[in-house]
Amino acid sequence: MGERRVTRREFVKDSALVAVAAAAATAHAEPPDKSKILNYNPDMEYRPCGRTGTYSSAVSLGGHWKRIDKMIPGIFKGRGWLSADLDDRRFQKNRYDVVTRCIEVGINHIDACTIQEVKAYARALKGRRDKMYLHASWYQREMRKKQYRTKKALLETLDWGLKDAGLDYVDLWRITMLSRSGAHTKAEVDEMMEALAAAKKSGKARWVGLSSHDRKHIKWMIETYPEVIDVIVTPYHAKTKQVPKDSLFDAIKKHNVGFYGIKPFASNSIFKGDSSPKNPHAEEDDRRARLAIRYVLQNPVLTSPIPGLINTHQVDNVALAVKERRQLDLAELREVEKIMDEAWASLPPDYQWLKDWEWV
């Protein structure tokens, strides 16, 4: 049987995929000095975190534990994953074990964005805080609620949150804004920036930043408050590509801002199974997770993706993705595109906004 002819449409599409990958796959010019890296492991890759002077593991631990009920049946006391019983010994052991495995494979950042997450990871890090950087946000008491949109109220949240979690400081305070943060007034943003600057000056936060899903507004904030913003936290998934002109990535590079990407697995929509250890799709989902991590790591502007992980096997799997060949070949790029098309078709209504992060 002769070879199948490649249609013009397929040729153009494949050429575009290769161009996107080639444009993104620029390696960091200089390997970091390992003596400057927290929790260094030779099998992990490390990337500079903007102007903070620190290096981040190429994959970090996201605070979410959305499918942890697959590991601990009955742990959710309400409808959502944030209803997990933080005092349940099974839950505490799970988080402790996951953090332990992260430390063992060289992961050195945890990103926690809720009251519950900050408390849970502060507990899991007790006695070994020197092994991990802890990012914190208490979104329930930050910019998403009108009464917290002043410098005074935000600094009170920081003090309350530190006390609630038993912490003296956080490595990064990244205030969670409205998803469409452009809806905030200029005066509200000014108040937030003043709070961040004051927190850094006081030493209660070593670095400061923000989280938003509004890429144009994020770009404006980086350009308007370059002396304040050290780090941003935004969506970044396996369909994200750089726009040819005036990209958010350009502003990140110009102002040397750290960049952590949420939702690398499109809120678990890339997976076929339910993340339970023995589900019939476990092996396939491991491969999908690694492809997604490899894809996002092709972009050197990204400091680190922050997937939520519910067991030590998932930690090992994302660490393996860092070790695998970085450049995706054409067949893998096609596979990633197919996976993401399937993910888009299965996205729940409240996550349709992820589609806005295809061109950044």
Side-chain angles (χ1 to χ4, degrees), residues 194-206 208:
E194 289 180 15
L196 290 172
K200 187 173 179 180
K201 185 177 181 179
S202 72
K204 294 176 182 177
R206 296 176 68 189
V208 294

Side-chain angles (χ1 to χ4, degrees), residues 51-276:
R51 60 171 178 258
T52 67
T54 64
Y55 287 90
S56 174
S57 50
V59 176
S60 300
L61 176 61
H64 288 10
W65 49 71
K66 286 189 174 180
R67 292 184 170 184
I68 201 171
D69 58 321
K70 305 304 177 184
M71 301 298 302
I72 313 170
I75 192 64
F76 296 158
K77 301 305 180 184
R79 296 178 60 184
W81 62 275
L82 280 177
S83 69
D85 182 357
L86 304 189
D87 294 323
D88 188 299
R89 290 185 180 180
R90 298 171 301 164
F91 174 85
Q92 292 184 7
K93 184 178 187 304
N94 175 279
R95 292 298 84 192
Y96 184 90
D97 290 348
V98 165
V99 170
T100 297
R101 191 60 185 144
C102 285
I103 292 171
E104 290 171 350
V105 302
I107 290 173
N108 64 9
H109 276 73
I110 300 175
D111 184 85
C113 68
T114 71
I115 292 169
Q116 294 89 336
E117 289 174 24
V118 177
K119 184 180 293 187
Y121 291 108
R123 284 177 174 175
L125 283 173
K126 190 172 183 180
R128 49 185 183 171
R129 180 75 186 278
D130 61 332
K131 297 293 186 181
M132 301 280 272
Y133 297 114
L134 180 60
H135 300 181
S137 169
W138 297 269
Y139 91 90
Q140 298 99 321
R141 295 187 177 210
E142 293 177 348
M143 294 286 284
R144 289 192 178 182
K145 292 187 177 180
K146 191 172 183 179
Q147 65 267 38
Y148 296 107
R149 296 176 189 171
T150 66
K151 174 185 176 181
K152 180 177 183 293
L154 288 167
L155 290 174
E156 287 174 351
T157 287
L158 176 61
D159 287 339
W160 176 90
L162 291 174
K163 183 177 180 181
D164 180 63
L167 297 168
D168 296 322
Y169 72 96
V170 291
D171 294 290
L172 171 71
W173 183 26
R174 51 90 160 185
I175 290 175
T176 302
M177 307 178 74
L178 291 170
S179 295
R180 301 292 186 182
S181 59
H184 288 296
T185 66
K186 173 68 163 53
E188 288 172 347
V189 178
D190 285 342
E191 291 279 327
M192 184 188 82
M193 294 299 169
E194 289 180 15
L196 290 172
K200 187 173 179 180
K201 185 177 181 179
S202 72
K204 294 176 182 177
R206 296 176 68 189
W207 312 292
V208 294
L210 58 94
S211 176
S212 163
H213 302 170
D214 189 337
R215 62 182 182 277
K216 290 183 179 179
H217 193 239
I218 295 169
K219 184 174 183 292
W220 173 82
M221 287 188 287
I222 290 173
E223 294 169 344
T224 305
Y225 309 92
E227 73 285 356
V228 178
I229 301 171
D230 298 317
V231 175
I232 63 166
V233 180
T234 76
Y236 195 108
H237 50 64
K239 216 174 176 69
T240 302
K241 297 174 281 292
Q242 180 167 348
V243 294
K245 184 180 179 181
D246 205 27
S247 170
L248 169 60
F249 300 153
D250 295 332
I252 292 170
K253 287 187 290 185
K254 179 179 179 180
H255 296 285
N256 198 19
V257 172
F259 172 23
Y260 288 83
I262 67 171
K263 304 293 185 290
F265 302 146
S267 192
N268 292 322
S269 293
I270 71 170
F271 300 130
K272 290 186 174 182
D274 63 2
S275 297
S276 58

